[in-house]
Amino acid sequence: ETNEVEIGSEPAISVSPTPSETQLAEPSESPSPTESVSETPIPLSPVEFRAYALGDLADMRKDVADAKKRINDGGFARLLGNVLELTFNVGQLQSITPSEDIAEEWNSKLAKLEAAVDKFSEGVGENSVSATRSDLDEILAAISTLEKFVKTVD
């Protein structure tokens, strides 16, 4: 379908509607009976686990330091950006699949970090500066706990 549009004294322009995503989508293929789809993620080796976890925790430390700087500089809009970064970091850590023997302890410690990030996120803009700093210190404490744990994994 084409529509002609006249703009001022310019000649008519033909405009074709953009195809929708459903028009462009390929038919979905279902796996053949011989293909197996893994529902459970494969646990990382201890070396991979340490590398990923410590890398993500180091990123979080930088984000907390940046958030503290924003508080000191009075950069509220940037502080909101730090909230998003910290939340993203928690998601990264949640995507790491530890081996079964450490999963329960990892998930327990990770839940404490997530709770600290949530508390900080909910309080930004509502809490006093000192309360916000305290929330960031709680995040750092949870990061330290996770780092210590991860370093014991072998």
Side-chain angles (χ1 to χ4, degrees):
E1 171 181 319
T2 303
N3 297 325
E4 290 190 1
V5 178
E6 189 172 320
I7 302 174
S9 62
E10 297 293 318
I13 299 172
S14 294
V15 180
S16 299
T18 308
S20 70
E21 285 184 31
T22 54
Q23 292 172 325
L24 295 175
E26 294 292 320
S28 64
E29 294 181 25
S30 52
S32 69
T34 57
E35 291 179 34
S36 66
V37 178
S38 176
E39 293 291 324
T40 56
I42 298 170
L44 299 173
S45 73
V47 172
E48 292 170 319
F49 176 77
R50 278 193 310 272
Y52 285 116
L54 291 175
D56 289 337
L57 291 166
D59 286 346
M60 282 195 89
R61 277 193 177 279
K62 290 176 191 170
D63 292 336
V64 169
D66 190 42
K68 285 186 171 189
K69 184 178 183 319
R70 298 295 164 238
I71 292 170
N72 293 336
D73 296 345
F76 182 71
R78 295 285 310 264
L79 188 60
L80 292 176
N82 292 113
V83 168
L84 293 175
E85 289 176 25
L86 290 168
T87 303
F88 174 78
N89 293 133
V90 169
Q92 291 289 101
L93 289 165
Q94 289 170 333
S95 72
I96 296 173
T97 306
S99 58
E100 216 174 285
D101 59 326
I102 63 168
E104 186 176 328
E105 190 171 355
W106 165 255
N107 291 330
S108 170
K109 292 178 184 326
L110 185 55
K112 290 178 183 172
L113 175 62
E114 183 178 8
V117 170
D118 288 346
K119 182 180 174 191
F120 167 70
S121 300
E122 292 165 6
V124 168
E126 296 176 18
N127 289 345
S128 66
V129 170
S130 62
T132 302
R133 283 190 182 121
S134 176
D135 290 345
L136 289 170
D137 288 339
E138 284 183 43
I139 293 171
L140 284 175
I143 290 170
S144 292
T145 300
L146 274 166
E147 287 171 333
K148 288 175 189 169
F149 171 71
V150 169
K151 289 176 182 177
T152 67
V153 174
D154 56 6

